[in-house]
Amino acid sequence: MNNIEEELIKFIKAFHNITNLPVQVFLNNECIYSIPSQILTSYKIINDKNLIPKYSRKDNKIQIVNNKLKESYFIKNIDKYSIHIGPFLREKIESGFITNMIRDNIIPFHQKTNMQDYYRKCIYLNDERIYYINKLLENSLYFTNAERINSNIDEYHIDEDNSYFEQKSEYQEQGFIHSPYNIEQEISQTISNGNTENAKRLLKEINTIPHAKLASTTLRSYKNSMICSCAFMTRAAINGGVNPDEAFTLSDTYINKIENMSNIIELEEFETIMVESFSEKVRDVKKLAYSSAVLKVIYYIDNHIREDIDIKQIAKEVYLNPSYLSTLFHKETGSTIKDWIIKRKIQEASLLVKNSNEDLASIAFTYRFCSQSYFVQCFKKIMGITPGEYRKRNK
């Protein structure tokens, strides 16, 4: 190597010692240097070169590239070389992710244990570390022309005014701490269980802690905090079995109400109302006494009511064998999944029959019935009369 290349290697070694991140130098798509000498990556484990990151920018600036297995790399082209820094993770990998990748034939089943071990050992970088590593690269001899990191998959915006870290310093100076995570978890759990009184008690406890600064004015900061609360309550209700569409509709309604409120007392009172409402929604669902798997099937059908719904696809969504799921569904509801789908499609279609002038063929097509005559046959069986008679009566 000439002197310039030797200087590059010196920088790479120093950078690796500071950050502990693996670094590879590629020439014509072949790795000609790496530190450490053996770098474990997903593409080596599952022998898929498509997972090797590709530099796509035309302006020769630094970018972060992510692959479908959630590995990330800093990449920079320098003359004829391509410098790959990584892999690292930007989020913790749950076991369900690996299961999904195996199901989609991206990870071979026999490599499951190796990939689990690999993800445990892979370096994780939070936003703060990514920010400062980027700054280090920007100010180095070989990365002086870099601006902000950009991703070819999803743009990674770095706040140039460093407000995140200024906020962190301010909290440290004030001795401020966020609400204990375990209390928020308890509130979520009590909502998921439909236990309104315990949720209200925990909410009262968490509100004795000063609110985080989420905006320049106190009122706006409270509103932002309430919107965050509404978000985690929504997800708690969904975990408790509430139809996601219903939970999110309620959430949208409450967020609009929060925006229209003009004082903090009103906001604090409304937070209690939100807890009660989401808990009651969960209690209503639990009265049905269906298992979570059956509820997921019901919600899936409702959310895809205007599509061709396949039992195998439903089983895949709830991670159960189709035969077992069919037996479980029939045992709890007294209906087959197919009959339930047809019943829900007819119930929904009846609203169009009653409230619109659409011809029956169009309505049958909208709800994916194979023909108008089959639609009429199913409609009469469930509603007791034909669609034409139903429309005449309701007019």
Side-chain angles (χ1 to χ4, degrees):
M1 286 190 176
N2 58 39
N3 291 334
I4 296 176
E5 290 166 332
E6 287 175 4
E7 288 298 319
L8 174 58
I9 296 301
K10 285 180 183 177
F11 167 74
I12 288 172
K13 287 180 177 178
F15 178 86
H16 171 72
N17 288 329
I18 292 169
T19 64
N20 204 33
L21 285 168
V23 183
Q24 299 173 89
V25 180
F26 282 80
L27 177 63
N28 299 325
N29 295 322
E30 293 295 328
C31 182
I32 60 171
Y33 178 83
S34 71
I35 182 168
S37 57
Q38 296 296 322
I39 299 175
L40 190 60
T41 64
S42 63
Y43 67 80
K44 290 180 181 178
I45 294 174
I46 66 177
N47 194 28
D48 183 358
K49 288 198 171 185
N50 290 323
L51 295 171
I52 298 176
K54 300 291 190 298
Y55 186 85
S56 61
R57 292 183 66 88
K58 295 181 180 179
D59 53 13
N60 230 28
K61 295 175 182 176
I62 305 169
Q63 70 178 144
I64 283 185
V65 178
N66 310 302
N67 64 25
K68 57 190 172 186
L69 291 183
K70 296 191 176 181
E71 292 170 304
S72 297
Y73 294 80
F74 292 94
I75 298 186
K76 174 75 166 70
N77 280 355
I78 301 172
D79 298 328
K80 56 188 176 182
Y81 306 113
S82 181
I83 314 300
H84 293 195
I85 300 170
F88 61 90
L89 302 177
R90 291 162 65 179
E91 61 180 282
K92 301 297 184 183
I93 304 300
E94 304 293 338
S95 59
F97 173 74
I98 298 176
T99 302
N100 288 341
M101 292 296 99
I102 292 172
R103 185 191 67 190
D104 295 338
N105 297 318
I106 295 170
I107 296 175
F109 180 78
H110 69 275
Q111 294 290 10
K112 180 179 181 180
T113 302
N114 290 335
M115 286 301 297
Q116 287 173 331
D117 187 53
Y118 167 68
Y119 279 129
R120 278 195 295 271
K121 293 177 180 177
C122 195
I123 293 173
Y124 165 73
L125 297 183
N126 60 19
D127 291 351
E128 187 173 4
R129 289 197 66 195
I130 289 175
Y131 177 89
Y132 283 117
I133 288 172
N134 178 55
K135 288 299 181 186
L136 177 63
L137 293 173
E138 283 181 350
N139 294 316
S140 73
L141 176 65
Y142 293 96
F143 291 74
T144 50
N145 293 325
E147 295 178 353
R148 292 193 310 178
I149 298 173
N150 289 289
S151 168
N152 68 325
I153 294 177
D154 56 317
E155 286 205 355
Y156 186 85
H157 298 290
I158 293 182
D159 193 353
E160 290 295 342
D161 65 5
N162 211 7
S163 58
Y164 164 77
F165 308 108
E166 289 173 3
Q167 181 80 75
K168 192 172 181 179
S169 297
E170 184 180 333
Y171 281 165
Q172 288 171 344
E173 289 172 8
Q174 295 172 353
F176 171 80
I177 58 171
H178 284 87
S179 305
Y181 180 57
N182 64 313
I183 297 182
E184 289 192 5
Q185 281 185 309
E186 282 189 65
I187 294 177
S188 293
Q189 191 59 51
T190 52
I191 291 173
S192 296
N193 292 335
N195 192 331
T196 307
E197 293 309 313
N198 271 349
K200 286 163 68 176
R201 175 182 58 78
L202 289 165
L203 181 65
K204 189 175 181 181
E205 182 179 337
I206 210 170
N207 280 337
T208 61
I209 301 168
H211 281 242
K213 181 182 178 183
L214 302 178
S216 56
T217 66
T218 303
L219 181 62
R220 183 66 259 171
S221 183
Y222 263 75
K223 286 184 177 183
N224 290 345
S225 177
M226 286 275 289
I227 290 169
C228 292
S229 296
C230 187
F232 85 73
M233 289 181 196
T234 303
R235 279 155 182 77
I238 293 170
N239 289 337
V242 176
N243 187 322
D245 186 61
E246 186 175 353
F248 284 124
T249 300
L250 186 61
S251 171
D252 294 344
T253 304
Y254 283 167
I255 289 171
N256 281 310
K257 286 188 176 183
I258 289 167
E259 287 294 335
N260 291 325
M261 291 181 182
S262 57
N263 63 74
I264 292 169
I265 295 174
E266 191 178 10
L267 286 165
E268 288 177 341
E269 290 174 349
F270 189 65
E271 194 166 23
T272 303
I273 292 171
M274 288 198 304
V275 167
E276 290 175 343
S277 296
F278 283 114
S279 298
E280 285 169 7
K281 289 284 183 188
V282 173
R283 284 207 307 275
D284 289 342
V285 168
K286 291 189 181 298
K287 288 176 186 176
L288 297 173
Y290 293 149
S291 64
S292 61
V294 170
L295 284 171
K296 285 178 182 176
V297 173
I298 292 171
Y299 297 153
Y300 182 89
I301 292 169
D302 284 348
N303 291 332
H304 299 80
I305 200 68
R306 293 190 175 192
E307 301 171 18
D308 290 317
I309 304 174
D310 180 67
I311 294 175
K312 289 182 180 178
Q313 179 60 34
I314 298 175
K316 191 176 179 182
E317 292 291 328
V318 298
Y319 304 105
L320 289 175
N321 175 275
S323 178
Y324 171 76
L325 180 62
S326 297
T327 303
L328 178 67
F329 192 90
H330 187 269
K331 181 180 177 182
E332 292 191 19
T333 66
S335 168
T336 66
I337 295 177
K338 182 180 178 181
D339 287 346
W340 188 285
I341 292 169
I342 292 173
K343 181 181 177 182
R344 287 294 299 122
K345 283 180 176 287
I346 292 298
Q347 287 172 340
E348 290 290 317
S350 69
L351 299 175
L352 268 183
V353 173
K354 181 170 69 172
N355 298 311
S356 77
N357 291 319
E358 272 196 64
D359 61 87
L360 298 183
S362 296
I363 296 174
F365 176 78
T366 297
Y367 289 93
R368 296 296 187 266
F369 284 90
C370 59
S371 66
Q372 181 179 337
S373 60
Y374 182 59
F375 169 67
V376 172
Q377 178 187 332
C378 293
F379 196 100
K380 186 174 182 180
K381 181 179 177 182
I382 291 165
M383 304 301 290
I385 55 177
T386 65
E389 292 169 331
Y390 186 80
R391 176 172 278 174
K392 284 179 184 177
R393 284 190 188 183
N394 285 284
K395 277 191 179 301

